[in-house]
Amino acid sequence: MRFLLLINALLCSLLLSNVAQASDTIVVRHYQHEARYQFGLKVLNLALSKLNKPYEIIGPKSQVVNEARGEAMVINGRYDLEVLSTTADRESKMIPIKIPVYQGLLGLRLLLVTPQLNTEISKVRNIDALRQFIGGHGLHWADLGVYKANNLKVVTAVNYDKLFEMLKKHRFDYFHRGANEIWDELERYKNDFVIADNIMLYYPQPAYFFISKHRPELAQQIEQGLQLAIKDGSYKALFLSHYQDTIANADLASRHLITLKNPTVPSDTPIIDTSWWLPQHKLKP
């Protein structure tokens, strides 16, 4: 009898231990599975690894979730987190961690164009000349207001992949892409597009981790992990290891910079330190 009681006690102890361990595990659910989000997920993994706690990052299953639907699902708590450009609306509906995930690199835009238009667009040297062309843009992307504010013409679509098909069919002239995004996209469409020579656009566009208000403790944990990664240099090392070749391939020093205003960024947004990657003389008026 004592033996059975001892066995039961041991089993209960193991069960309670497993339950406690499971409850200590930080679980993060997200919907951003596409290649353009992979660095953000690496930063998330780095931040969580600094906490000395078990964690699990769970992506979407098989379904493709567009940005608008995914964001709504973060807001209602079905997903826990997204990494996207900041806006006042997002900051009011979710918990922003105001540490720029891409160190401002997302705001540096290179232009995907068809080979036929490259020569013409590569001659653009100012915003007035750029206004003669039509850009492509995601309908729900936060920086759509940038192009309206700068009087730049755009054609929009809800579906990300459809924009490349529209560019192929000359529905618009260029597709501006973040310098951190464009190389993977060029590899996929190397038979159709080139990166326009001599030109780049820049506007402040910090991308943050936005956490569902249903998970305030997760926001605190990720911010703590990010601060630790910045302090010990591992975030900078990850950024440079991931983007050093990207920055070198872009040959930023040889490109003419057109700076755009970005009214979609809240006025109290911290200034981004771009000195890691952008030749600073390029930002001078």
Side-chain angles (χ1 to χ4, degrees), residues 67 71 75 82 84-96 98 140-146 204-210 262-269:
E67 194 171 288
E71 183 160 74
I75 292 168
E82 63 184 4
L84 285 175
S85 304
T86 193
T87 65
D89 186 59
R90 283 181 177 146
E91 291 189 14
S92 70
K93 292 178 179 176
M94 294 171 282
I95 304 172
K98 294 191 177 185
H140 300 295
W141 296 353
D143 57 338
L144 180 58
V146 172
Q205 191 188 11
Y208 297 149
F209 287 112
F210 285 93
N262 185 358
T264 69
V265 172
S267 58
D268 61 347
T269 299

Side-chain angles (χ1 to χ4, degrees), residues 198-216:
N198 306 323
I199 181 174
M200 58 185 176
L201 314 179
Y202 178 77
Y203 45 90
Q205 191 188 11
Y208 297 149
F209 287 112
F210 285 93
I211 316 300
S212 173
K213 288 188 175 182
H214 296 264
R215 296 290 308 275

Side-chain angles (χ1 to χ4, degrees), residues 176-226:
H176 61 87
R177 307 300 299 133
N180 57 313
E181 303 169 318
I182 198 167
W183 301 102
D184 287 337
E185 295 167 340
L186 181 64
E187 180 62 27
R188 294 204 309 271
Y189 294 97
K190 59 187 175 184
N191 295 326
D192 302 295
F193 309 129
V194 297
I195 297 174
D197 298 321
N198 306 323
I199 181 174
M200 58 185 176
L201 314 179
Y202 178 77
Y203 45 90
Q205 191 188 11
Y208 297 149
F209 287 112
F210 285 93
I211 316 300
S212 173
K213 288 188 175 182
H214 296 264
R215 296 290 308 275
E217 82 292 346
L218 179 62
Q220 293 174 352
Q221 290 166 327
I222 293 174
E223 182 164 10
Q224 179 187 356
L226 283 173

